[in-house]
């Protein structure tokens, strides 16, 4: 391999930074886990984690489990993908079910079809307590949303799981401080500095597989407030709704009740890179029903323990 | 991101911070950079025009650009920036990571956070708040404080953006007067010849586009200046530096049993077969294998790489198993300027915690991947930001104060001077009770005593 300087390629720079952060979590924390939803950001993060502990052709052993907080409202392609990853890599998977929190009564929904996305925070905190995790790595990016843009890479949560944006720890150079007292928690965001475009460029470069719904497919949708709301068991047509079958793809894959696809015929990462580079709407703006309700809804959810 | 549609694969990354006093227009400037490089998407603009901001007085396009970065509820309420917001934009030439740091004195620690991770600082100077009647003109204390911090933290490039020139009809004389005050300031704190650009963030003058209002200004726009910066790695002042981050063991059958040392090359480079020295302890070993995230799988082969260089996150195997743990430092065995093993250091501290420095307590000092106990033996000087002189009266540092201290360490650390190597010359202090990061430190002198 020829010599090169890192500055030549921003993807190498981002990759090295993320690997350093993931290794730092393992070195500093006794019982970390990595959040994994089967979405593109967590797929990239998981790939980086494997690289961080890879020695040539030897089998990679990740020194932590992956954790999925399952709202129960998933696209089957995504759950299939998650289970295939476990089968292929031998990684240990832990699943926290929002359904269990509902049964316990710690999560209450007004009606069965309400978005379970916000409820995830409760299940997340319960799972952290059950397994005594001291650190959780998450695939959030600072370019996603205004509250995310304020997040430290090592982000301290108190013993209620709360984020206090006014009292974040100073974070200097690459000297990350993961010290906590019992019951407290660190959330760590190894891909903080990546943008949506970086993620797709990296997926293309590294030849990463994604759940098929990231690429163009036909789907029955209803147009609502400039969103394309998919017709599913969880988001059925309301009286008077007129549905259409359109060529769509998902820019972000989350809970069915709050994620919408966009119109697209992009069939591979390169097509998506071309689309992403000229898009006029942000990832969240185009796809999320829950963020539009209030200017500060992400910040509020984060304060309650959401990642 | 319409400007970024080249999807360039070989852009480099420039990280910059905006500093300057509150209301100097930092958030507006960043908003302007994003707006004029067409990095703001339609839904963000729509949400902006719906949002109110306590501080808005302008009617510029009906949009308050500061709101792009002031994302917290409390920030909207108060109309100020509380914590660092990170923004991303690219031009066909470069990718930029922007740390928009707050200007309020009480949030100086957040400025230090942003500055420690940047290569470049834009210090905003609000022309309307410079006292032009004195000679030289008097800058705000926060401008001086921020310039001093940026200098202490060793940022490679500094530009002063003289903002709100529209309030003076872009008068050249006003700019010249302020220039003189800034040059005076830079001389005092030891910043080399500063770059100055007259701008109006509000109107977009000389930010991305040149302004017809400043025919007398012949220099680049702010964006052109950022795009033109030389970001080739600083000429290296130290040899190979590799702090061991994590020891990976694979305990299997005897034939497969191995140890690998994970970490980032902080300076210099390393080749397979090269002899290295392990600090502390001065034992030597030969590099047997190097694995590199970006080289190990892309070309299909998984046999490792021949060499790695500054910035690479790598895994190293040595030809023998030695007692090596997190915190050890690998250097080249033939290094002619090795780091010194120091039990006492003199350092500049930025004190960041609300609880003042205590001379009686022990702190945890994190230097590279190594953590040792530390006590402050003496406060040598405290910086007075008004006069930029070192006060003769010393006192334990309070929040946001800067001073030179001497520290004694429980165990020696392998340290370089901060000016020689940021990675092996910087440290943080951690309060062992609250676990807060209480200070940023830059090593200025080492001693084995």
């Amino acid at each position: 391999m020829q010599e090169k300087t890192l500055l030549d390629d921003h993807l190498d720079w981002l990759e090295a930074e993320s690997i350093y952060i993931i290794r730092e979590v393992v070195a500093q924390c006794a019982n970390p886990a990595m959040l994994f939803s089967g979405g593109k950001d967590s797929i990239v993060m998981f790939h980086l984690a494997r690289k961080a502990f890879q020695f040539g052709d030897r089998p990679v052993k990740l020194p932590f489990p992956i954790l999925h907080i399952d709202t129960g409202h998933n696209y089957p392609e995504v759950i299939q993908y998650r289970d295939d990853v476990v089968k292929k890599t031998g990684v240990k998977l832990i699943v926290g079910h929002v359904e269990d929190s509902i049964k316990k009564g710690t999560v209450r929904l007004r009606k069965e079809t309400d978005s379970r996305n916000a409820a995830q925070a409760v299940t997340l905190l319960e799972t952290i307590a059950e397994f005594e995790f001291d650190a959780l790595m998450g695939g959030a990016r600072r370019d996603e949303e205004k509250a995310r843009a304020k997040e430290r890479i090592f982000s301290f949560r108190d013993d209620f799981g709360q984020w206090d944006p006014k009292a974040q720890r100073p974070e200097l150079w690459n000297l990350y401080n993961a010290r906590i007292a019992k019951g407290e928690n660190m959330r760590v965001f190894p891909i903080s500095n990546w943008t949506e475009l970086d993620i797709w460029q990296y997926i293309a470069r590294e030849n990463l597989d994604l759940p098929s719904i990231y690429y163009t497919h036909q789907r029955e949708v209803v147009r609502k407030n400039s969103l394309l709301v998919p017709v599913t068991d969880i988001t059925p047509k309301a009286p008077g709704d007129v549905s259409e079958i359109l060529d769509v793809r998902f820019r972000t894959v989350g809970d069915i009740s709050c994620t919408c696809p966009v119109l697209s015929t992009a069939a591979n990462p390169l097509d998506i890179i071309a689309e992403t580079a000229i898009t006029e709407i942000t990832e969240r703006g185009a796809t999320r029903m829950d963020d539009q309700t209030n200017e500060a809804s992400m910040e509020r959810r984060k304060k309650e323990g959401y990642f | 991101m319409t400007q970024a549609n080249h999807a360039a694969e070989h852009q480099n990354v420039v990280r910059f911070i905006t500093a300057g006093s509150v209301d100097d227009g930092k958030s507006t400037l960043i908003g302007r950079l994003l707006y004029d490089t067409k990095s703001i998407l339609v839904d963000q603009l729509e949400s902006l025009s719906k949002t109110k901001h306590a501080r808005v007085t302008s009617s510029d396009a009906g949009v308050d650009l500061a709101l792009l970065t002031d994302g917290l509820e409390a920030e909207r309420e108060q109309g100020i920036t509380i914590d660092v917001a990170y923004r991303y934009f690219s031009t066909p030439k470069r990718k930029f990571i922007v740390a928009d740091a707050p200007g309020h004195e009480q949030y100086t620690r957040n400025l230090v956070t942003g500055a420690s991770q940047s290569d470049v600082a834009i210090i905003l100077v609000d022309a309307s708040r410079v006292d032009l009647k004195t000679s030289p003109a008097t800058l705000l204390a926060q401008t001086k404080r921020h310039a001093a911090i940026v200098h202490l933290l060793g940022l490679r490039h500094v530009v002063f953006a003289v903002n709100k020139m529209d309030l003076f009809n872009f008068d050249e004389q006003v700019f010249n007067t302020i220039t003189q005050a800034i040059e005076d300031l830079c001389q005092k704190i030891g910043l080399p010849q500063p770059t100055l650009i007259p701008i109006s963030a509000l109107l977009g003058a000389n930010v991305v586009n040149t302004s017809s209002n400043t025919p007398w200004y012949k220099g680049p726009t702010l964006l052109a200046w950022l795009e033109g910066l030389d970001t080739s790695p600083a000429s290296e002042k130290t040899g190979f530096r590799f702090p061991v981050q994590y020891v990976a063991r694979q305990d299997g059958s005897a034939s497969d049993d191995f140890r690998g040392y994970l970490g980032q090359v902080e300076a210099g480079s390393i080749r397979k077969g090269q002899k290295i020295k392990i600090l502390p302890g001065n034992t030597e070993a030969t590099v047997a294998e190097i694995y590199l995230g970006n080289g190990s799988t892309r070309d299909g082969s998984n046999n490792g790489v021949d060499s790695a260089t500054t910035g690479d996150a790598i895994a190293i195997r040595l030809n023998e198993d030695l007692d090596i743990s997190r915190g050890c430092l690998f250097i080249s065995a033939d290094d002619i300027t090795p780091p010194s093993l120091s039990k006492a250091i003199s350092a500049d501290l930025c004190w960041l915690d609300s609880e003042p420095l205590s001379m009686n307590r022990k702190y945890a000092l994190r230097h590279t991947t190594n953590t040792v106990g530390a006590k402050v033996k003496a406060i040598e000087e405290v910086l007075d930001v008004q006069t930029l002189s070192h006060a003769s009266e010393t006192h334990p540092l309070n929040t946001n104060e800067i001073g030179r201290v001497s520290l004694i360490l429980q165990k020696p650390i392998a340290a370089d001077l901060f000016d020689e190597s940021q990675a092996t010359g910087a440290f943080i202090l951690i309060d062992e009770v609250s676990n807060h990061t209480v200070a940023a430190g830059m090593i200025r002198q080492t001693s084995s005593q």
Side-chain angles (χ1 to χ4, degrees), chain A residues 101-127:
Chain A
S101 305
I102 293 172
K103 279 185 200 145
K104 264 191 281 182
T106 46
V107 166
R108 278 227 169 140
L109 301 173
R110 280 176 204 218
K111 52 180 196 294
E112 177 55 21
T113 51
D114 268 0
S115 167
R116 295 180 172 188
N117 196 49
Q120 273 187 86
V122 175
T123 309
L124 178 66
L125 295 180
E126 287 172 355
T127 313

Side-chain angles (χ1 to χ4, degrees), chain A residues 1-17 19-28 47 51-61 63 141-144 146-153 156 163-181 184 191-198 201-202 205-206 251 270 273-274 276-286 294-296 299-300 303, chain B residues 1-2 4-5 7-13 15 41-44 47 51 67-76 78 81-86 88 95 97 109-110 112-113 116-117 153 231-233 245-246 248 250 256 258 260 262-264 266 271 289 291-298 302-303 305-307 309-315 317 326 352 364 366-369 371 418 422 426-428 430 432 434-437 439-442:
Chain A
M1 186 180 143
Q2 67 180 51
E3 272 196 64
K4 58 185 196 59
T5 61
L6 254 186
L7 289 168
D8 285 347
D9 187 334
H10 78 280
L11 291 179
D12 284 347
W13 184 88
L14 288 167
E15 180 183 75
E17 181 186 59
I19 288 175
Y20 177 86
I21 292 163
I22 293 166
R23 289 170 171 174
E24 204 59 18
V25 172
V26 171
Q28 287 194 42
H47 180 71
K51 280 197 170 192
F53 297 97
Q54 179 170 27
F55 293 88
D57 289 326
R58 298 173 182 92
V60 181
K61 274 192 193 168
R141 309 187 321 263
R142 285 170 174 161
D143 79 323
E144 278 179 78
K146 281 180 295 238
R148 295 269 198 237
K150 299 268 173 180
E151 181 85 79
R152 295 279 191 267
I153 289 176
F156 174 79
W163 180 64
D164 182 356
K166 282 195 194 180
Q168 301 199 72
R169 280 185 189 171
E171 196 159 80
L172 302 146
W173 300 288
N174 59 0
L175 300 174
Y176 300 110
N177 172 8
R179 288 189 182 216
I180 50 168
E184 296 168 345
I191 58 167
S192 286
N193 283 323
W194 297 56
T195 63
E196 185 185 11
L197 190 59
D198 297 328
Q201 288 178 344
Y202 191 71
R205 183 181 101 170
E206 304 283 308
R251 274 173 84 176
L270 291 178
I273 289 168
T276 306
I278 57 163
T279 184
E280 295 196 323
I281 301 186
T282 64
E283 184 175 331
R284 286 200 163 255
N294 184 297
E295 245 318 289
E299 180 184 353
R300 287 192 187 145
K303 282 180 178 165
Chain B
M1 289 247 179
T2 42
N5 51 11
E9 280 184 35
H10 296 283
Q11 290 167 312
N12 57 31
V13 177
R15 304 191 63 157
L41 304 186
V42 171
D43 58 318
Q44 291 171 313
S47 118
T51 317
L67 284 173
L68 279 168
T69 56
D70 288 342
L72 299 174
E73 283 186 276
E75 292 176 324
R76 286 158 188 280
Q78 298 171 40
T81 307
I82 289 171
D83 207 340
V84 188
Y86 295 88
Y88 304 80
K95 283 187 77 85
I97 301 180
R109 63 205 192 113
N110 299 331
V112 177
T113 284
S116 76
Q117 289 160 359
L153 288 168
T231 52
S232 54
Q245 205 182 355
Y246 184 69
Q250 195 145 311
D256 197 33
F258 78 98
L262 309 181
Q264 181 157 300
E266 296 286 7
R271 302 195 147 271
E289 296 166 32
Y291 297 102
L292 171 65
N294 61 37
S296 56
T297 55
R298 228 189 327 161
N302 265 338
N303 302 319
V305 292
D306 291 333
S307 68
T309 187
T310 311
D312 286 338
I314 60 171
R317 283 194 70 201
R326 173 175 165 90
L352 309 167
R366 166 83 52 78
H367 170 255
T368 67
T369 54
T371 306
F418 185 79
Q422 184 180 289
F427 63 88
I428 56 172
I430 300 169
E432 294 195 306
S434 68
N435 289 326
H436 291 174
T437 302
M442 281 94 15

Side-chain angles (χ1 to χ4, degrees), chain A residues 48-249:
Chain A
L48 291 163
R50 287 177 49 82
K51 280 197 170 192
F53 297 97
Q54 179 170 27
F55 293 88
D57 289 326
R58 298 173 182 92
V60 181
K61 274 192 193 168
L62 277 193
F64 46 78
I66 58 173
L67 171 63
H68 182 209
I69 300 301
D70 185 346
T71 61
H73 291 169
N74 302 293
Y75 289 101
E77 293 88 344
V78 179
I79 294 297
Q80 184 63 48
Y81 183 96
R82 178 196 79 185
D83 294 341
D84 286 349
V85 161
V86 172
K87 229 179 280 166
K88 260 190 250 163
T89 65
V91 67
K92 187 181 171 201
L93 169 72
I94 294 171
V95 183
H97 295 277
V98 172
E99 196 63 47
D100 291 345
S101 305
I102 293 172
K103 279 185 200 145
K104 264 191 281 182
T106 46
V107 166
R108 278 227 169 140
L109 301 173
R110 280 176 204 218
K111 52 180 196 294
E112 177 55 21
T113 51
D114 268 0
S115 167
R116 295 180 172 188
N117 196 49
Q120 273 187 86
V122 175
T123 309
L124 178 66
L125 295 180
E126 287 172 355
T127 313
I128 290 171
E130 182 186 346
F131 291 89
E132 298 186 338
F133 292 125
D134 53 357
L136 283 187
M137 290 174 264
R141 309 187 321 263
R142 285 170 174 161
D143 79 323
E144 278 179 78
E145 205 274 342
K146 281 180 295 238
R148 295 269 198 237
K150 299 268 173 180
E151 181 85 79
R152 295 279 191 267
I153 289 176
F154 278 64
S155 182
F156 174 79
R157 304 300 164 103
D158 66 16
D159 43 8
F160 287 90
Q162 293 189 316
W163 180 64
D164 182 356
K166 282 195 194 180
Q168 301 199 72
R169 280 185 189 171
E171 196 159 80
L172 302 146
W173 300 288
N174 59 0
L175 300 174
Y176 300 110
N177 172 8
R179 288 189 182 216
I180 50 168
K182 202 170 162 50
E184 296 168 345
N185 193 254
M186 291 306 289
R187 304 287 173 84
V188 184
F189 302 102
I191 58 167
S192 286
N193 283 323
W194 297 56
T195 63
E196 185 185 11
L197 190 59
D198 297 328
I199 291 284
W200 281 109
Q201 288 178 344
Y202 191 71
I203 287 167
R205 183 181 101 170
E206 304 283 308
N207 251 326
L208 301 183
D209 281 331
L210 294 187
S212 57
I213 58 174
Y214 274 110
Y215 303 111
T216 186
H217 59 284
Q218 294 206 319
R219 186 174 291 274
E220 185 182 9
V221 297
V222 176
R223 293 178 195 261
K224 274 184 197 163
N225 301 330
S226 74
L227 293 174
L228 303 176
V229 179
V231 179
T232 67
D233 295 348
I234 294 144
T235 50
K237 272 198 281 191
D241 278 352
V242 180
S243 69
E244 302 163 74
I245 309 270
L246 296 173
D247 288 326
V248 297
R249 69 174 172 94

Side-chain angles (χ1 to χ4, degrees), chain B residues 37-217:
Chain B
T37 55
K38 303 187 171 49
S39 310
I40 300 175
L41 304 186
V42 171
D43 58 318
Q44 291 171 313
L45 275 178
E46 272 173 11
S47 118
L48 277 189
S49 55
K50 278 190 255 168
T51 317
K52 288 204 184 78
H53 195 302
R55 201 170 45 175
V56 183
T57 49
S58 115
S59 57
D60 176 49
V63 168
D64 181 3
L65 294 172
L67 284 173
L68 279 168
T69 56
D70 288 342
L72 299 174
E73 283 186 276
E75 292 176 324
R76 286 158 188 280
E77 281 158 26
Q78 298 171 40
I80 58 165
T81 307
I82 289 171
D83 207 340
V84 188
Y86 295 88
R87 301 291 313 205
Y88 304 80
F89 71 98
S90 33
T91 68
K93 287 187 180 152
R94 280 210 162 133
K95 283 187 77 85
F96 294 97
I97 301 180
V98 190
D100 176 21
H104 264 274
E105 188 178 337
Q106 68 187 107
Y107 297 115
T108 300
R109 63 205 192 113
N110 299 331
L111 173 85
V112 177
T113 284
S116 76
Q117 289 160 359
S118 301
D119 322 298
V120 182
I122 300 173
I123 300 180
L124 234 74
V125 180
D126 178 346
S128 70
R129 293 205 291 163
V130 176
D131 185 350
L132 299 168
K133 292 187 203 87
T134 60
S135 177
T138 310
L139 302 164
L140 292 176
Q142 238 359 30
T143 308
K144 297 180 193 171
R145 182 196 298 270
H146 286 186
I149 289 172
V150 159
H151 177 58
L152 274 178
L153 288 168
L155 271 69
R156 286 175 65 195
H157 307 277
V158 181
V159 62
F160 288 83
V162 181
N163 193 21
K164 306 194 188 175
M165 285 300 294
D166 49 310
L167 298 179
F168 295 91
N169 291 321
F170 297 93
D171 182 354
E172 183 181 11
Q173 198 48 49
V174 170
F175 181 70
N176 289 343
T177 308
I178 295 171
T179 298
Q180 209 168 13
I182 290 169
E183 282 174 349
D184 207 51
L185 164 72
C186 290
Q187 206 172 11
K188 262 194 187 146
I189 57 178
L191 266 174
Q193 202 66 33
T195 305
L196 287 110
I197 304 176
I199 67 162
S200 162
L202 191 66
L203 304 182
N206 297 329
V207 178
V208 172
N209 305 310
T210 48
S211 169
S212 56
N213 291 313
T214 51
W216 43 268
Y217 173 70

